[in-house]
Each structure stands twice: as structure tokens, then as C-alpha cells.
Amino acid sequence: MIVTLTPNPSIDRTVSLTSQLLRGAVLRAESVTSQAGGKGVNISRAAVAAGVPTVAVLPAEPEDPFVLELIHDGIDCRPEQPTGPVRVNLTITEPDGTTTKINTPGAVADEGSLERLTKALHDRAESASWVVLAGSLPPGAPADWYATLVADLRRTAAKVSVDTSGEPLVALAQHLGEAAPDLMKPNGEELASLTGADGDAIEADPAAAAAAASVLVQRGVGAVLATLGGSGAVLVTSEGAWHATPPPTTVVSTVGAGDSSLFGYLLGDLRGVEPAERLRLAVAYGSAAAGLPGTTIPTPDHIKAELVEIRELSLDRRN
């Protein structure tokens, strides 16, 4: 089972334009969609589609339409009492796949709400193969809250994955001694911010991405899955490093692509395949998501893993 925590869930509203986005102009929308989302929720959606048991932990009222939508979609949702309504995030997509996101902060968390989420997570961790801590933290949560959760969850049988950004990611990196997760999934920019490497170089050069990711592995992280957009992804573990090139994809929306990549890796791990094959599934899932509209999460029918090319990379372990 995969247990996901989405401490700052969102209603993801996507506006698909018929033309390029222009500031100050009157524009026409081809479609407007709305879906209960958030990184952890997206991963649980992918799990349900693939037949993998999952539990989604998040703050929301039990009768909130957000929760009812998840239940309707087959997601075992465990809502905890929130401090306010679920936020709304807006995504604007252009015909060429360019995506603009406007994210709102969400309700301010207090000590009680964080304690409820922590307890709900721990109650289910012992029966989970993976616990995924995903997305931004709500206002009011300490930046090192994910680091604290990882340190606590390391006492359970579950493996722990973290996908976040900004201050929570920096705080996690500062506590890797006692809070190194089994998996981290930064993008190129986030990986650069953690290691002091050049962001453009990481995006353009898989070897540079692997070298930066290896710094985190040397500090105790079990595996680093670095997503590089159109350049694919890099996986680094203590066993080695690999780069995956995605199949040709017409990009429709990049929203949810990173979450789908993370699920692909977890799916490979649950199947017991080698690291390079986990990376293959990760990139296949991410590419499939990029070719779907809005926040649509791919199903196994969308996955073309056989079209993903894998090559092993060399690492200088002296650094």
C-alpha cells in the first residue's frame, strides 16, 4: 500500500486557452476543468488507476465536495479536521503546452491540525510499503515539519518518499543526518538549489544532474529521482546512476507530470524491478501525463515504457 500525505490540498482549476497567453488582453478559453488535487492526491489517483492500494491523508471536512469527489473516484480518503476551506489553484495552458500556474496559500495550519495529520499518518504507516509526503506546507507549518515526519517514520517499516520545494526542501536537506528519506524527487531547479550546482547545466546535462544527485545519496538519501522536463530524468542510488530519455510526446499540460513520475518509480519498486527499470516506468508515467489535458493522471493504458531509452551514467565517487 502507498499512503500519501497532502497537507495543503487544492482544487485544481485548469483553463485551456485557444491562443497564446497575453497580459492585459481579452482571451478565449477552449475549456475549463476542475479536479480535487494536490501532489499526494495525484499519486493516490495514479495508484487507484494501476490497482495499487492507497490511502490519502489530508485536511478537509468529511462532507466537503473535495472529499466526496475522491471517494467517488475510488480513493480511500482519510480527511482530518482542517482550519479552513480547501484552496483553489489556477492553471492556464496554451495550445503549445506552455503552462502558467497561480497557486494560493491555503488555510493557516495550527498545532492541533498538524498533530491530527501526524497521528493519521502514523496510524497507517505500519501497514504501508511507502509513505509519500508531497507538496507544499500550509501557512503556519514549520519549515522543518517534513524533516520531523521523516525522522519519526524511519522507526516504522514503511519506506518514505518526499516531494516538496522551497523552504521545506531546504530544511529537509539540512536534516539528512537524522531525516534522510528513502526517495527524494526534485526537479532540476530544486536539485540545483540543494547542491549549489548550476540549474541550467543540470537541466541540459544528465551527467551534471547525476553528479548533483549523488551528493544527496552520499548524505544518506536512498535514491534521488531528478526530473528534467523534456530531457527526461536521472536516477541515482548507491548502486549507480542512470538517465532515461522520454519518448516523443506532444506536450498538452505539464501539471501532474512530476507526481506521475514519482508514482511510476514507486510502482517499479513495488514490482521488485531493478533501479533502471523503476526509472523507465517513472519517465513513461511522466511523459504520459504531459500528453494529457489539465491535471489528468495517466492510467496503465497510457504508458509506453518500451519507448523509454535508458543509459547508465558514470559517477566520480571521490567527490
Side-chain angles (χ1 to χ4, degrees), residues 1-7 38-49 51-59 66-67 70-71 74-80 116-117 119-134 263 266 270:
M1 172 159 52
I2 298 174
V3 175
T4 64
L5 172 66
T6 309
K39 283 186 170 295
V41 168
N42 290 340
I43 292 166
S44 285
R45 281 190 186 279
V48 168
V52 176
T54 185
V55 173
V57 177
L58 50 87
F66 184 97
V67 173
L70 297 184
I71 294 173
I75 298 173
D76 186 352
C77 183
R78 306 301 172 92
E80 295 297 324
R116 288 190 291 273
L117 291 173
K119 183 178 185 305
L121 201 62
H122 278 272
D123 286 348
R124 293 159 181 86
E126 289 294 348
S127 60
S129 299
W130 281 93
V131 174
V132 181
L133 313 179
F263 172 73
L266 299 181
L270 294 176

Side-chain angles (χ1 to χ4, degrees), residues 12-139:
D12 292 335
R13 194 156 293 153
T14 302
V15 179
S16 298
L17 300 179
T18 59
S19 61
Q20 182 181 7
L21 175 65
L22 296 173
R23 291 182 61 193
V26 176
L27 306 172
R28 294 189 180 277
E30 181 177 58
S31 64
V32 179
T33 61
S34 186
Q35 186 179 60
K39 283 186 170 295
V41 168
N42 290 340
I43 292 166
S44 285
R45 281 190 186 279
V48 168
V52 176
T54 185
V55 173
V57 177
L58 50 87
E61 297 286 354
E63 298 301 318
D64 191 305
F66 184 97
V67 173
L68 299 181
E69 178 185 328
L70 297 184
I71 294 173
H72 177 269
D73 292 343
I75 298 173
D76 186 352
C77 183
R78 306 301 172 92
E80 295 297 324
Q81 184 66 39
T83 57
V86 176
R87 63 185 177 142
V88 176
N89 287 342
L90 180 63
T91 299
I92 303 171
T93 62
E94 301 173 50
D96 66 354
T98 300
T99 301
T100 302
K101 297 195 67 176
I102 303 173
N103 292 345
T104 58
V108 177
D110 58 22
E111 184 176 348
S113 65
L114 296 178
E115 287 179 353
R116 288 190 291 273
L117 291 173
T118 298
K119 183 178 185 305
L121 201 62
H122 278 272
D123 286 348
R124 293 159 181 86
E126 289 294 348
S127 60
S129 299
W130 281 93
V131 174
V132 181
L133 313 179
S136 63
L137 294 180

Side-chain angles (χ1 to χ4, degrees), residues 14 21 49 66 98 139 156 164 183 186 205 221 227 246 286 302:
T14 302
L21 175 65
F66 184 97
T98 300
T156 72
T164 190
L183 174 66
D205 183 3
V221 178
T227 51
H302 294 116

